[in-house]
Amino acid sequence: MSIARDSSNKMRQEADWMVPSDNKILELVREYGNLTPTAIEELGGPTAGHARNRCPKLAESGLLKRISRGLYGLTEDGEAYLNEELDAGELPTPEEFRDDSDE
């Protein structure tokens, strides 16, 4: 499990499958509301292509929710993670990152 620091130097408990840009995506969605990957890039986040790849994974884990095609919003778990109240390692692992030997 990784530990992430946000801009105010707080620590978050990331899941092993998460990458640093996931925090920026979640922070932008919290700040601006429901966003598309293109809007995430325009607001200073990762490229739209990268956000387009990461948002479904964050939704599969329960940190984001898919509002409609290409539009994502923050879940209660996403808010709790950003507030350091939830260890993302306790959430479901996106299918792409699951180890089949654990089942």
Side-chain angles (χ1 to χ4, degrees):
M1 181 171 326
S2 303
I3 297 176
R5 294 184 184 273
D6 70 7
S7 56
S8 58
N9 217 18
K10 294 179 182 176
M11 296 171 68
R12 296 183 181 134
Q13 298 296 316
E14 292 182 334
D16 291 337
W17 57 267
M18 293 177 76
V19 298
S21 61
D22 291 344
N23 285 293
K24 183 66 174 176
I25 291 168
L26 294 167
E27 290 166 2
L28 288 169
V29 174
R30 174 168 64 179
E31 183 174 350
Y32 294 98
N34 301 340
L35 294 174
T36 64
T38 300
I40 290 168
E41 178 179 16
E42 291 171 353
L43 293 168
T47 65
H50 183 73
R52 199 170 289 113
N53 178 269
R54 297 305 301 172
C55 286
K57 292 168 181 46
L58 293 168
E60 191 176 343
S61 75
L63 294 168
L64 289 180
K65 61 185 168 193
R66 184 176 179 251
I67 305 299
S68 63
R69 185 171 179 244
L71 182 65
Y72 295 89
L74 195 65
T75 64
E76 288 182 17
D77 282 344
E79 184 72 32
Y81 166 74
L82 290 173
N83 291 336
E84 302 176 47
E85 299 165 353
L86 175 73
D87 178 344
E90 298 174 4
L91 296 171
T93 301
E95 187 173 345
E96 176 181 344
F97 302 104
R98 289 187 196 135
D99 180 2
D100 291 336
S101 65
D102 291 339
E103 295 179 12

